[in-house]
Structures are given as C-alpha cells and as structure tokens.
Amino acid sequence: MTETIRLLPAGENAMMAELSDLAAVQDLHGTLTAGPDRGITDLVPAARTLLLRWDPLRTDRAKIEQLIATHIGRAGHRPPGREIEIPVVYDGEDLAEVARLLGLSVEALVARHQAARFSVAFNGFVPGFAYMVSDDPGLEVPRRTSPRLRIPAGSIAMAGPFSGIYPSDTPGGWQLLGRTPLQLWEPERDPAALLAPGDLVRFRAIVETLAPPVPVARVTLPATMPLRGITVTRVDWRATFQDLGRAGQARQGVPVSGALDRASLKAANRAMGNAPGEATIEILNGGFALRAESPLTAIVTGADVPLSVINSAGNRQPFVVGQPIALDLGDTLELGVAQAGVMSYLAVRGGFTLAHHLGSAATDTLSRLGPPMIKPGDGIVLARRPALAVSVRSERPTPVTRSGETVTLDLLPGPRADWFTPAALDLLTNQPWQVTGASDRIGLRLSGIESLVRAVTQELPSEGTVRGALQVPGSGQPILFQADHPLTGGYPVIAILAAHDQDRAAQIPPGAWIRFRPSVAPPSK
C-alpha cells in the first residue's frame, strides 16, 4: 500500500509531514537521516507527523518536497538501534491503578511490562524524555485525570500508547509504575540523552536503587576573584546568558532556545567586534547593574532603558542604547527600568568566559540547560578574545513597543488552521490581542475579548513546534511561542509568526496590543 503524505505549512524554511501512523513517521525519519547531507537542519518526529527545518542557503522547499515524494512507495530505512536494559524498582504510586485498568494483578503487570520490548519513537517534552511504544498492544492506559505538580526524576510512566522515563523533576499527568537509578539526561555525556529514536528497551526489575538519579549537572559561573571581569550588583527581574542557541539537537529532545531578540544580540556583538553569535547578557525590563573589576568596553542594545556609568568618585555620566561604553576599574554600569521594549542585550568586547553545552552557552528556562540565572553577587570572567574594531554607530535593529501601544505583526498559515472554524480564522486577524503579564521566554500569552473556537475538538497527538507558532489551548486564548518553547506540543497551531517579526514580538511588553495581519510565505530561493 502506498503511503500518503500530507505536507502542512510550518513557517519559512519548515514544513510538517503528516503520515498515517507512527511506523510511517519512523520510516520517513530514517530515510531523511540516512545518506548525504541534504541541508536539513532538524527533524522532530512525533506520533503521526515529522517536522522538518532546513538551511535556505543549502536547499529549498521544492527540493525538500521532491525528497519526500521520492520516499513515497519505497521501503523506509530504519537504522538499527541500540539495545538498552533499564533497571526498575516497581513501586510507582499508580502501579495498582494501572493493574486495575488492565484487569491484571500487580505481579502480572510487572511481569508483562518486563516481557514487552519497547522502541524509542521520538524525543520531546523535555531534553532526554523518550516516547516509547511497546510490542504489547495491551499496555495502554489513559492519562491521570489530575496531573501531578512534581514527578521525580527517573520515574517510569505510561499514558495512552506511550511509555516514558522522566529525566528530571517536572509536572506531568502520566501513570507512574516505578523508578530507575539511571540518569536519562546528563549534559556532560556524549550523547547527553541516554535514549535516542530507534533504540530498543527492556525493563528489568530490581529490589532497590543503590542511589537516586544524579541531578542534572548545571553549568556554574566562574567566580574566581582575581580573574573576574565584572561583578553583578543588581538584578530586579531576570538576567540570563544568551547566544544564538542549540540548533540541530532535536534528536535528543533539545530545542534551539537562545536570544529572544536575535537582531539586537547580533548588533551588540557587531559593535564590540565580536563574533555575531557571541554570548551576551539578556536582561528583562532593565533594572540591572554591574561593577567593572578591570577596564573593559561594553554596549547595551535592545529595549529603551536609561543608561549611566557611576565612577568610583560617585560621578554619574549618562549614555544611550547602542553606544559603546568604556568602563574603568571600579566603575558601575547601571540600567534603569525599561521605558519601551522588554529585552536588553549587554555585550563586552572580547566576550565572556562561559562553559558551552551542546555548542551553546544559552540558558534555556524550560529545559533547564545552560548557565543558571544571573543573580546579584555573581562574578563573571571576561574572555578577552581578539576582536575587530569597535563601532561608534548607534543602531536599533528591532523596533520597541510601549505598554498600551498596538503593533501589527504578519502571520503565515499554521499546520492546524483547518482545525478552527471560519469565524475563528477571521477573529484571529480582526480582533486585537493584549499581551498578558503571564508571558515569558516560553511564549507571549495573549488575551482577546472573544476566544478562538475549534472546528475539530478531538485530542491532537503531540507534534513538533517552531518558534513563532501560535498555539491555541482549550481556553481559545492563543500563546505565541518564543525561544524557549517546547519541542513538541499537544494543542493545535493555527498560524506561524513571520520570521521578520519574531524579534519584534520579543520587544512587546505586557499591556501592549497585537493585531495580526495575514501574510504568505516568501517564495523558495
């Protein structure tokens, strides 16, 4: 039987292939990962879909579509997976309830769980979380009606046709069978994820764990006093290190993350003579200060914030956003509260000394990867890498918005636009949406007078998401995904924010309004 593949829009340089079932997804995923480099940068397999992203400098939409068409009618290629044994203490809180749902005794459930062979279908939710399917079709139970606020790392769980192991302490609604002492996600390991798509897993009962799972390693800020270049003295809201993120890590369940306003980050580095993707300090709403422990040159781009330097004698000198600032030993650089925009980017000439994980020093607030949040008292070491000439030109690459103002943003069709009523599609672009205070690096939470109504009310199996996706939960009030969005999501995506407006969206504060304007994707190059 010839496989039918439906290609759905997912923004510029991305598309979603919808197939008949998980096996067909695995076949196509295997075909696209085998052979030569075709310019595909990321593949996000899910229950019935495969999200593809590509580099427009190496390929285009037409070539990707031809590649997929070539696959239709052929036997899928699935690379052989590793065989991995997972030791389990079967003492989960839901063990008896799962046994009851399946009409088994606890002892029979444990025996049946060990007899089954599981294969890793895809990774998602959080880094290292593997969605596994069993060769025993009877091992299927519903989610819990009430999710838990915290599930301990190492918990082995079931929901629907999938089984999984929680790599870290997270909320969740799956049924808990037991726990394992193995560390599913270890940033210093290569690969960091213990389980990868295609791996075959068997569970083996043990009496007790020798030790609980080791907490996920966190990168710490170097703070040796003689080497520090700056000391952070004030953080009113949130400050993190951000670069351009971790592209190409979807196989391990790792999203890209990185700076919310990438244009402002690049502008800061360009002005300092750094590489475009050098890590900067991303500062939410201003309210930040640092003291120079040695002479240095810095710049702040992005949001409209008051800037001043206070020297050791107490004299204050004002500066403007986008202007290089020379700091002497003991000088304090102070950012006031943002007057417009949201995110500021502080770069120093030569960069910071930071540990990189999976090729990036970005702090992913959802996946809990990268350096911890910056706090007062942190000492940060300067790398002092060779740099190009410092620019004296002030530039603001991203427009910033004040609370109460209205911004118009362009929308492209989303993969699940047909899950909504015609009235909802009209409402999306005819009604203004206010940015709420619940917004964060994961997404802008929007509020409108009327909610978006779905035409298809069935549950959507989790599928890959992209930055700029406008996801609509059951409330009908959309969420505009930003840099730390989840790799996969279970709510339909009605539209995708155009790439040229994604940085601008990052500079829209709570209280501002968004009007969406329908657009079309630019032609493939």
Side-chain angles (χ1 to χ4, degrees), residues 173-266:
W174 289 28
Q175 308 274 10
L176 304 183
L177 301 184
R179 53 195 166 90
T180 180
L182 297 184
Q183 179 64 48
L184 275 294
W185 176 259
E186 191 172 345
E188 304 309 317
R189 183 172 58 202
D190 186 18
L194 178 64
L195 302 177
D199 287 346
L200 301 176
V201 174
R202 283 191 181 274
F203 294 99
R204 173 178 59 86
I206 59 175
V207 175
E208 62 181 6
T209 59
L210 299 177
V214 178
V216 174
R218 299 299 306 278
V219 180
T220 57
L221 294 174
T224 306
M225 288 298 294
L227 298 178
R228 67 172 56 182
I230 62 176
T231 298
V232 176
T233 59
R234 174 186 171 189
V235 181
D236 287 357
W237 285 279
R238 185 187 71 222
T240 60
F241 288 109
Q242 297 297 339
D243 52 25
L244 296 180
R246 302 176 177 86
Q249 298 294 335
R251 180 176 175 82
Q252 302 195 73
V254 178
V256 175
S257 187
L260 290 176
D261 181 353
R262 292 162 295 190
S264 290
L265 176 140
K266 293 177 181 178

Side-chain angles (χ1 to χ4, degrees), residues 12-13 54 56 59-62 412 520-525:
E12 296 108 315
N13 308 319
W54 60 85
T59 189
D60 56 35
R61 187 178 301 271
L412 306 174
V520 294
S524 298
K525 296 179 180 179

Side-chain angles (χ1 to χ4, degrees), residues 266-455:
K266 293 177 181 178
N269 281 318
R270 187 162 54 246
M272 291 292 96
N274 299 332
E278 185 72 42
T280 68
I281 298 177
E282 182 183 82
I283 302 160
L284 171 66
N285 292 333
F288 180 91
L290 61 84
R291 182 178 64 248
E293 306 295 351
S294 60
L296 60 95
T297 303
I299 194 170
V300 176
T301 61
D304 183 5
V305 295
L307 295 174
S308 59
V309 172
I310 307 166
N311 64 20
S312 55
N315 299 318
R316 182 183 294 268
Q317 180 181 358
F319 286 85
V320 298
V321 171
Q323 179 182 4
I325 303 169
L327 299 174
D328 291 327
L329 172 65
D331 285 353
T332 294
L333 173 60
E334 186 176 88
L335 284 70
V337 176
Q339 306 300 303
V342 180
M343 297 295 173
S344 298
Y345 294 85
L346 192 155
V348 297
R349 180 173 170 83
F352 302 107
T353 297
L354 298 168
H356 284 59
H357 173 227
L358 298 178
S360 170
T363 298
D364 185 332
T365 58
L366 177 66
S367 301
R368 292 184 282 182
L369 298 177
M373 300 281 188
I374 299 171
K375 62 184 185 302
D378 281 343
I380 303 174
V381 177
L382 304 186
R384 303 192 185 280
R385 284 181 277 273
L388 303 175
V390 173
S391 169
V392 296
R393 180 170 61 92
S394 176
E395 58 178 307
R396 188 185 296 280
T398 305
V400 296
T401 306
R402 295 179 183 273
S403 181
E405 293 182 343
T406 299
V407 181
T408 299
L409 303 178
D410 290 336
L411 281 184
L412 306 174
R416 299 300 172 187
D418 58 353
W419 278 47
F420 294 85
T421 65
L425 296 173
D426 289 340
L427 181 65
L428 177 62
T429 55
N430 291 330
Q431 172 179 269
W433 300 89
Q434 189 171 42
V435 178
T436 75
S439 302
D440 53 20
R441 280 185 51 85
I442 297 170
L444 295 183
R445 294 182 178 270
L446 308 180
S447 175
I449 296 175
E450 296 185 59
S451 298
L452 301 175
V453 177
R454 285 169 54 170

